[in-house]
Amino acid sequence: MPAALSTEALVVVQSAVRRFGSRAALSGASLSACRGEILVLLGPNGAGKSTLLRALCGRTRLDSGSIRIAGGDPAERAVRRRIGFVPQSIALWTQLSVRHNLELFGRLAGLKRAQLATAVADTLDWTGLAARANDPVASLSGGMQRRINIAAGTLHRPELLLLDEPTVGLDPVARSEVHQVLDRLRRSGMSLIMTTHDLVEAEALADRVALMSAGAIRAQDSLAQLIGRLFGSDQEVVLMLAAEPAPAIRDALRAARLSPTNEAQVWIGRLGSGLEQLPELRTQLISAGADIAELRIRQPGLHGVYIELTGQVPQE
Amino acid sequence: MFRAALLQLLHDRGALLLSLFVPAVFFLIFAEIFATAASDEVQVHVALVDEVRSADSISLLAALQREATVTIVPGVTDRATALDLVRRGTADVALIVRADGEALADAAGLAAPPLLILVDPSRSVAATVLSGQLQRAYFSALPDLAVGRVAELIGTEFTEFSAEQQAEIDSGLAGLRDSAGAGQRGGWSFEELLDRENVVGQTAALNHIAYYAGAVAFMFLMFASAQNAVGILDDQAAGILDRIAAGPGGIIVVLNGRFMFLVLQGMVQNTVIFCVAWLLYGVDVPGNFGAWLLISFCAAVLAAGLGLLLVTACRTRAQAQILPTVVILIMSAIGGSMVPRFFMPEWLQTVGWITPNTWVLEAYSGLFWRGETLQALLPGCAGLFLTGMLALAISYLLARRLVQR
């Protein structure tokens, strides 16, 4: 992370509302993003993240509210030149070479012929794919394809890059490569707004996170600020059960203010700052019939923040 | 597996359409065409012009009009109009009782025959039918002329009827019989009254080749356009449309780029097909290059626009592989790309005008068949071009659905 973020707001979304029939995909979302930061949008499926991304690149008109990017409306052509978009899928012509893809997307982004050659050469250089420039995209590894997928959205040096789950489906090595690419783009001064379901990735990359649910931003800030605001001095308790709990035990766990996770045997909750409450909780759980394999406390993280703000267990 | 196959078919509306609906429609179209082509009761539309207006010609034409298989095209007063109607296909054939020929009563083969048939080589069967009907009308309306001509024939060929002459008559009749048996003309024939002229300079075979060049070219232009336009849905599935739609040009860039490519592809296809027609069959493309280029360009614009329209009207790739195929096949069958329009019953020829295939075929036929000038072809070409652009404009609207979810 950079030592100090710019405080100049590049993106300002105010009370954005977008309805599809009777369903409100955005119901008054407000958001801001500064120059040179990575803002990670988190939230359950259907929270409105994709709709917000489309609205940010001018593809969805709002029913009410406003979006300003560098002071302009993203529906305007000139403003869209300042934006790059990286779809979730490998949005490339995979039978064509890396170079041809970059040249084509550069032209589509509005680069002139003279600028294009330099932009393509630079991109091949920083993605480390100069040696594979003439190979078909289909012949590259998943990580290389992801790098080109991101690079294809940055040829025109946008001020704002929007990424829809840029690492979905990647193995840890390829994911790490993509993280390096994103970090490099941030350090070049570009602002990145990305969605992900991977909280570890969000913790590693985000300068700030914004949590969405039901079409609205529930909170946005740096992770440390959010934890401080939501948890204060409380700690997070993690319970691992030896077996999947029966319904009666699940009720007892909820009564003890523990929440389920995606793993049926792992539950989390919060405790006061000291360790005094831990033996009491343990006794309460054992008497309820829980077969405890491990009970530990830890500093609260994004997982806890997510549950606090959305009321749902994150999908990872 | 039987049940699985049945359920799959029932759930796949496109496959159901192709396997049940399209064959039935094709059967209906071709049954109509061949029922008409093979029927005994061929209706011949005749443009009649009587330049002589003698008692004989009036009687003859009145008798001809009583023939059940002859339909007279109304409003024809002169030879030029009749010629134009045959060129346009409004009349199958024209019959002129001409002022610049011999009289019906005493035609002796010394000047032009009294009757002139104008026929398009592609409809030569209509001239044959008319010739037969005309012969019947002649013998029923003007029997005195017919017998007079026989008597004249006897007078000129067999003089007196003495025993010796009778032997000569027998010998002469035997000779005529022998000549007829040998396929030679002998003595007087009704055909001496008739002259026949093609309304275009080319042969029927050459006209058919020019027709089929246009017919085949446009059908495959449509198939190739739709096939290539499906790439838009592939781009949508890959997320490429999303990426481009977020750029400064938006989704219109995608359609305009495809459109220009499809027009160029169509021009190349037209060039290849007509080059073959020119080099192998002698269709005069170089002599009509400007007009050919104009028609081919407008046809390519039309095919490109319609290809994009058909594909953007689909919501999925599976639909886009079925719907355009069905529509293009049916349009081609009705519009004359598979079976020439002049083989079709009149109602089907009329229905054919709703298809772009017919518009393109009429434009090419106007040039290569009827010898129309560039000026005469301009309104038709403008229609092709504007319809193609309208289809492109509609596909702009439809394509917005592809990136707005």
Side-chain angles (χ1 to χ4, degrees), chain A residues 54 59 80 89 91 93 149, chain B residues 235 238 242-243 247 403 405:
Chain A
R54 281 202 297 279
R59 286 174 43 210
R80 288 216 299 273
S89 54
W93 286 290
N149 198 39
Chain B
D235 288 350
D242 278 348
R243 189 198 288 279
V403 290
R405 284 161 293 158

Side-chain angles (χ1 to χ4, degrees), chain A:
Chain A
M1 264 180 248
L5 289 172
S6 163
T7 53
E8 186 189 350
L10 179 68
V11 178
V12 179
V13 180
Q14 287 184 320
S15 307
V17 174
R18 176 68 170 121
R19 293 185 170 281
F20 294 105
S22 60
R23 187 177 70 83
L26 295 177
S27 55
S30 295
L31 180 82
S32 68
C34 299
R35 291 182 188 276
E37 75 166 353
I38 295 182
L39 175 67
V40 175
L41 271 178
L42 294 169
N45 285 333
K49 302 187 297 295
S50 295
T51 306
L52 183 56
L53 277 192
R54 281 202 297 279
L56 283 168
C57 53
R59 286 174 43 210
T60 294
R61 290 198 178 276
L62 299 180
D63 295 324
S64 65
S66 69
I67 294 179
R68 284 285 175 273
I69 294 173
D73 185 342
E76 295 166 16
R77 197 181 173 97
V79 175
R80 288 216 299 273
R81 285 184 193 280
R82 308 169 86 154
I83 303 170
F85 177 65
V86 179
Q88 188 183 119
S89 54
I90 302 294
L92 302 167
W93 286 290
T94 53
Q95 73 277 27
L96 301 186
S97 70
V98 172
R99 186 186 301 281
H100 280 147
N101 270 283
L102 293 177
E103 286 172 353
L104 290 167
F105 284 116
R107 290 302 297 265
L108 286 166
L111 288 181
K112 302 281 180 256
R113 201 173 291 275
Q115 303 166 304
L116 191 62
T118 312
V120 170
D122 286 350
T123 303
L124 287 170
D125 182 45
W126 71 256
T127 52
L129 288 168
R132 306 291 302 270
N134 297 316
D135 292 353
V137 168
S139 70
L140 304 182
S141 69
M144 289 176 181
Q145 290 186 8
R146 284 283 167 187
R147 273 187 270 162
I148 292 297
N149 198 39
I150 294 169
T154 65
L155 283 152
H156 57 302
R157 306 297 303 156
E159 293 167 61
L160 172 65
L161 186 64
L162 304 166
L163 304 104
D164 193 3
E165 298 194 41
T167 58
V168 70
L170 288 183
D171 62 46
V173 175
R175 181 175 301 228
S176 170
E177 289 173 2
V178 170
H179 288 179
Q180 286 172 28
V181 166
L182 298 180
D183 189 49
R184 180 193 165 88
L185 292 172
R186 168 176 47 192
R187 280 189 278 109
S188 74
M190 203 177 282
S191 294
L192 286 78
I193 297 180
M194 59 178 274
T195 64
T196 183
H197 285 293
D198 183 338
L199 299 192
V200 177
E201 176 173 271
E203 281 180 339
L205 286 174
D207 296 305
R208 291 192 304 134
V209 292
L211 280 118
M212 283 194 87
S213 73
I217 304 286
R218 299 298 163 194
Q220 60 165 322
D221 215 328
S222 67
L223 185 55
Q225 292 284 346
L226 286 175
I227 290 169
R229 195 184 326 150
L230 290 169
F231 286 86
S233 57
D234 283 1
Q235 297 173 97
E236 202 168 50
V237 60
V238 180
L239 165 68
M240 291 185 71
L241 297 166
E244 198 169 323
I249 296 175
R250 296 169 70 89
D251 292 343
L253 295 175
R254 285 199 175 89
R257 293 177 58 203
L258 292 173
S259 304
T261 68
N262 291 321
E263 293 175 62
Q265 289 151 257
V266 180
W267 291 66
I268 63 170
R270 55 194 289 183
L271 284 176
S273 56
L275 293 174
E276 307 81 37
Q277 295 170 38
L278 197 58
E280 187 187 330
L281 176 65
R282 182 172 174 275
T283 309
Q284 186 184 348
L285 294 175
I286 290 170
S287 62
D291 186 1
I292 299 173
E294 184 181 330
L295 184 64
R296 57 188 167 89
I297 57 170
R298 67 182 183 190
Q299 287 300 314
L302 191 51
H303 195 275
V305 170
Y306 188 102
I307 293 172
E308 285 287 327
L309 289 171
T310 65
Q312 296 187 42
V313 179
Q315 303 163 313
E316 291 184 66

